[in-house]
Amino acid sequence: QKEVEQNSGPLSVPEGAIASLNCTYSDRGSQSFFWYRQYSGKSPELIMFIYSNGDKEDGRFTAQLNKASQYVSLLIRDSQPSDSATYLCASRPSGSARQLTFGSGTQLTVLP
Amino acid sequence: GAGVSQSPSNKVTEKGKDVELRCDPISGHTALYWYRQSLGQGLEFLIYFQGNSAPDKSGLPSDRFSAERTGGSVSTLTIQRTQQEDSAVYLCASSLGNPDTQYFGPGTRLTVL
């Protein structure tokens, strides 16, 4: 079982809709969770991180964390074609680890 | 300010050759990470440096892989006797102190023929 799992997609949504991206993790001790966006041929860029159960909003993006169910999600409101990219979910394992464990990513396409 | 830089951007080599990949982190960042990303896959952790501490090498896939960080700044990842399965994009990231804010470089695309 992979430590961080994502639906690889592709996920297609129309412009203006809400895109919902989901991720589950296996290390119950993980404390920090991240969403990165990666455009084709580019490096990942951090969108949001979340530590606590519940929702965290930043502009059009909302990260949701449910530690009991071990899932993290990212909602993108008013999706734009420029949001089309691969979205990587990551966790930082428990203990003193500093490196991130990544899922394989979900490819999102926002249709104009 | 300048971000993380990596060189070369692309490297094509023959099976069995050694390669060196370079990472120049953001100035002042004490932590440096190497990851690799195979086609269509997520990032796989390789090695982590923090200041003058011993590096965390737990992600290196074999003893053909090694890395060093000179003067707490530039890092070089060396792959000896390259194999075709080493073909991937090698990404470097750095962070200031908080490991939860890692900034990635553009990567080096390695192709082993």
Side-chain angles (χ1 to χ4, degrees):
Chain A
Q1 180 190 7
K2 292 183 68 175
E3 293 185 35
V4 177
E5 298 223 33
Q6 296 180 252
N7 185 331
S8 62
L11 173 67
S12 294
V13 299
E15 184 174 357
I18 295 176
S20 177
L21 304 162
N22 300 309
C23 169
T24 59
Y25 61 94
S26 60
D27 182 353
R28 191 169 282 279
S30 294
Q31 297 296 316
S32 311
F33 304 89
F34 309 85
W35 284 99
Y36 280 80
R37 178 176 61 199
Q38 187 174 28
Y39 291 113
S40 181
K42 303 295 185 183
S43 58
E45 53 181 328
L46 180 64
I47 299 174
M48 294 185 70
F49 56 84
I50 185 167
Y51 301 144
S52 304
N53 274 327
D55 295 359
K56 179 181 179 183
E57 188 173 317
D58 183 0
R60 295 187 297 111
F61 298 96
T62 299
Q64 299 175 318
L65 173 60
N66 183 323
K67 290 187 178 180
S69 300
Q70 293 177 248
Y71 85 77
V72 192
S73 62
L74 179 70
L75 301 178
I76 307 174
R77 290 183 299 282
D78 188 24
S79 297
Q80 302 297 308
S82 59
D83 295 326
S84 298
T86 296
Y87 289 80
L88 299 168
C89 173
S91 69
R92 189 157 67 81
S94 52
S96 61
R98 294 291 184 264
Q99 70 272 19
L100 304 181
T101 300
F102 285 83
S104 56
T106 298
Q107 185 179 343
L108 172 68
T109 301
V110 180
L111 303 170
Chain B
V4 178
S5 61
Q6 292 186 244
S7 61
S9 55
N10 278 286
K11 176 70 177 180
V12 179
T13 191
E14 294 178 347
K15 177 181 173 182
K17 301 281 189 182
D18 298 352
V19 295
E20 286 189 350
L21 312 179
R22 175 187 169 109
C23 172
D24 206 334
I26 294 172
S27 178
H29 278 196
T30 55
L32 187 149
Y33 312 77
W34 283 98
Y35 295 85
R36 73 176 174 182
Q37 187 173 31
S38 301
L39 188 63
Q41 300 297 311
L43 280 70
E44 173 191 6
F45 166 72
L46 298 176
I47 187 169
Y48 156 68
F49 296 89
Q50 171 63 59
N52 295 321
S53 303
D56 176 353
K57 304 179 182 180
S58 60
L60 294 178
S62 78
D63 59 8
R64 296 186 296 104
F65 288 72
S66 63
E68 63 179 18
R69 189 180 184 192
T70 54
S73 181
V74 173
S75 176
T76 302
L77 176 69
T78 301
I79 309 173
Q80 296 178 310
R81 304 180 303 280
T82 51
Q83 304 294 312
Q84 288 182 331
E85 60 263 29
D86 299 334
S87 296
V89 176
Y90 288 81
L91 290 157
C92 174
S94 71
S95 67
L96 181 53
N98 183 346
D100 293 339
T101 310
Q102 297 182 23
Y103 296 91
F104 282 84
T108 293
R109 180 175 297 278
L110 174 66
T111 303
V112 182
L113 301 177

